[in-house]
Amino acid sequence: MINKNILIPLSLTLNDEKSLNFIIDRFSMDTAVTLTLFHAYTPVLEIDVRNNPIMERMNQNLSYQRGVLDDKKAALQQTMLRLLTKGFNKTQIQCVFIPIKMDVAQEILKFAKAEGMDLIVLSRTPSRVIRFFTPSVSKKVAGSIGKGVEVIILT
């Protein structure tokens, strides 16, 4: 039995339901798969306030952003728990929560290549006008992944 490594990049929004439902329907009883739930986030800056009232106010705004990141990390763990209730084993699931150093598509590509992923399952929001002007993350990943890795884009 060949083990299949599946990368599931998540934005941790309702749009992720398509990817998760696909994974559950297709792989929930397959013990030869390993899933990596992947979320790349924009890091929150650390600032030195040094008794500066303006910087202290800015730091309060940044603390809100840190709370949002904590919520996203908890949402990633909740996603893992959901998969566990749908038939996956804990040893089959890995959560990766990393800061963005490039852009999201490049982080996905870099991680997929480094970890030897066989399949990437992406979901995208259909019919956005902005796609006519800029390539989406899913198009960037699909267009740059290379041979040997399958990409499924769910709309």
Side-chain angles (χ1 to χ4, degrees):
M1 189 179 295
I2 297 173
N3 196 22
K4 188 171 203 143
N5 295 320
I6 303 172
L7 180 62
I8 310 160
L10 301 169
S11 60
L12 301 173
T13 63
L14 291 176
N15 196 42
D16 293 334
E17 287 300 310
K18 293 179 270 188
S19 295
L20 295 173
N21 289 337
F22 173 81
I23 292 296
I24 291 166
D25 292 344
R26 174 64 182 88
F27 298 107
S28 64
M29 297 302 160
D30 190 346
T31 58
V33 299
T34 56
L35 307 176
T36 301
L37 305 176
F38 179 91
H39 180 74
Y41 63 90
T42 303
V44 178
L45 298 174
E46 294 294 329
I47 59 173
D48 184 10
V49 294
R50 295 191 192 207
N51 297 324
N52 184 329
I54 294 170
M55 296 305 265
E56 286 177 10
R57 271 187 259 134
M58 185 182 278
N59 196 37
Q60 289 171 354
N61 291 337
L62 292 176
S63 67
Y64 170 77
Q65 292 299 323
R66 287 184 201 98
V68 169
L69 278 182
D70 290 342
D71 292 345
K72 295 262 185 191
K73 195 169 196 174
L76 191 64
Q77 293 298 319
Q78 287 297 321
T79 302
M80 182 181 79
L81 292 174
R82 177 180 171 199
L83 292 172
L84 291 173
T85 63
K86 298 295 182 179
F88 291 97
N89 187 314
K90 191 169 186 163
T91 60
Q92 291 179 276
I93 304 170
Q94 173 188 3
C95 292
V96 176
F97 192 75
I98 63 168
I100 295 172
K101 294 179 184 156
M102 298 171 262
D103 75 340
V104 175
Q106 289 177 337
E107 293 294 343
I108 293 168
L109 291 165
K110 179 181 164 188
F111 185 84
K113 289 175 182 176
E115 297 296 319
M117 294 295 158
D118 303 305
L119 173 64
I120 301 173
V121 178
L122 296 156
S123 58
R124 68 180 181 98
T125 306
S127 70
R128 277 200 174 163
V129 175
I130 197 165
R131 279 204 196 89
F132 292 112
F133 304 106
T134 61
S136 66
V137 170
S138 56
K139 284 185 181 179
K140 286 180 184 178
V141 170
S144 302
I145 193 63
K147 295 182 180 178
V149 180
E150 184 181 357
V151 177
I152 297 175
I153 302 171
L154 304 165
T155 56

